[in-house]
Amino acid sequence: MNNIAHLLSWIFFGDFGLLTVTPQYLFLVLFPIMIFLGFLEQILSRIPFLKNSHPLVNQCFYIVLGLGCTTAALTALETVDEPAMRRRMIWILILLVPCSSQIALAATFACMVTFRVFLVYLAFCFLFIILLLLIIDRCYPLSDGLVRYQQQAADFSLLQIIRNAFQTVAATLPSFCAGSIAISLAMYFGLLDWLSSVCGPLLEKLLHLPPQAASLLLLNVLKRDFSSASLLSVAGNGTFDAIQLIVLLIMLTFSVPCFNSSILLFKQQKLPMACFIWLGSLCLSVLFGRIVCSILLVCFV
């Protein structure tokens, strides 16, 4: 009986509990962002230039939004009717656009290494971004036509903006609750620790990373700000050398979407496509890590 009570306590009040992280993210992060988007939509709909805007303008809007939060940008993509444009932006947001947590991760890394090492990291990031952008543009080319808005701008209504934001959060709530329960159960029964112990030797053999890297990568999948704090703590003890840090940061930069974004991805996309995007980003992360590791070992060892 005590075990059941402890399990329920962990599900409701644990690190990813139903009454801790889930409401905090939905109502303290996503809800204000959706209200801001509502205001922004009302403003943009009244700008004559944007009534006949090129798709590149709309793409830049979602990219800027993704710099703050990938999950919020994916939520905003629900208003995009064209499947090719939506798929293109999903790949760009997940693979190319760093969210605020990833920017914090890069800033953490910059504080830990020399300027030369950080420039090497940025050079690899730039090359991979160019490569991925060329591939995405080939698979989902940007239309040359103009995006024309047929509807006239509605009367400004603060109540309607709040109502729409609340409806978006309410529609997302079941998916986040299900994901929160799944993660809490995995953590409670030691599944994440088991995955770390399994992946540790593989990373050591394939990428020459110490076993602690597996925990950081798994933590990055769940919550990237936790990963930034853990990286500062672990790497500060001299666990990683410069090459290992660059390889690890490349993998963390081009990692799979975080827990919140993954939940939304599987909610919006059909299961096969969502799995393809998630596993594709995972494979690219490992591949880029392997490429960087091989190049740096040849050049500097």
Side-chain angles (χ1 to χ4, degrees):
M1 193 67 181
N2 290 333
N3 291 335
I4 296 178
H6 188 264
L7 174 59
L8 291 176
S9 176
W10 178 255
I11 290 175
F12 282 98
F13 303 104
D15 292 341
F16 289 85
L18 292 174
L19 299 179
T20 52
V21 170
T22 300
Q24 288 177 10
Y25 182 81
L26 290 177
F27 294 103
L28 298 181
V29 177
L30 187 59
F31 184 63
I33 288 176
M34 297 314 298
I35 291 179
F36 168 75
L37 288 178
F39 276 108
L40 192 60
E41 182 181 5
Q42 292 285 342
I43 295 173
L44 294 180
S45 64
R46 288 168 169 77
I47 299 177
F49 166 73
L50 294 179
K51 290 183 178 180
N52 293 298
S53 61
H54 193 275
L56 184 61
V57 176
N58 299 292
Q59 177 177 291
C60 292
F61 167 75
Y62 294 109
I63 289 175
V64 171
L65 185 60
L67 290 172
C69 178
T70 304
T71 308
L74 290 175
T75 303
L77 279 178
E78 292 183 352
T79 61
V80 178
D81 295 328
E82 187 180 352
M85 179 64 174
R86 189 187 305 116
R87 196 71 50 76
R88 173 189 174 91
M89 288 310 306
I90 287 175
W91 280 109
I92 288 177
L93 289 171
I94 288 177
L95 292 177
L96 303 183
V97 180
C99 67
S100 57
S101 296
Q102 286 175 303
I103 295 174
L105 192 68
T108 302
F109 176 64
C111 296
M112 295 167 46
V113 298
T114 63
F115 183 66
R116 179 184 176 185
V117 172
F118 187 65
L119 284 180
V120 173
Y121 161 73
L122 290 181
F124 277 116
C125 285
F126 179 76
L127 291 175
F128 289 141
I129 288 174
I130 295 298
L131 175 63
L132 289 174
L133 190 59
L134 290 175
I135 295 174
I136 292 173
D137 194 61
R138 184 66 180 269
C139 296
Y140 305 102
L142 196 62
S143 173
D144 293 330
L146 298 178
V147 177
R148 303 184 186 277
Y149 296 93
Q150 302 294 340
Q151 296 180 348
Q152 297 295 325
D155 294 336
F156 185 85
S157 173
L158 176 60
L159 182 61
Q160 184 62 37
I161 291 174
I162 296 176
R163 184 185 295 115
N164 291 341
F166 184 80
Q167 289 175 350
T168 300
V169 172
T172 309
L173 180 61
S175 300
F176 274 92
C177 289
S180 177
I181 293 173
I183 291 297
S184 295
L185 290 175
M187 295 178 69
Y188 183 84
F189 290 105
L191 179 59
L192 297 182
D193 293 334
W194 177 79
L195 284 175
S196 297
S197 64
V198 171
C199 296
L202 294 177
L203 291 176
E204 187 175 7
K205 182 177 181 180
L206 183 64
L207 301 169
H208 304 281
L209 294 175
Q212 293 88 336
S215 300
L216 286 174
L217 290 170
L218 286 174
L219 194 59
N220 190 65
V221 173
L222 298 179
K223 202 162 175 58
R224 283 176 175 152
D225 49 357
F226 287 177
S227 178
S228 301
S230 299
L231 176 66
L232 185 61
S233 175
V234 174
N237 298 327
T239 305
F240 304 99
D241 58 30
I243 292 178
Q244 291 173 335
L245 276 174
I246 294 175
V247 173
L248 180 60
L249 259 293
I250 287 292
M251 295 182 67
L252 293 176
T253 301
F254 296 95
S255 179
V256 298
C258 67
F259 168 73
N260 294 328
S261 298
S262 297
I263 292 297
L264 202 58
L265 174 65
F266 279 88
K267 174 181 177 291
Q268 291 181 348
Q269 299 293 312
K270 294 181 179 179
L271 184 60
M273 179 53 65
C275 291
F276 175 73
I277 294 174
W278 198 94
L279 292 175
S281 59
L282 176 63
C283 293
L284 285 173
S285 174
V286 176
L287 175 62
F288 290 163
R290 177 60 183 174
I291 292 173
V292 172
C293 179
S294 300
I295 293 175
L296 293 181
L297 287 177
V298 169
C299 296
F300 298 103
V301 175

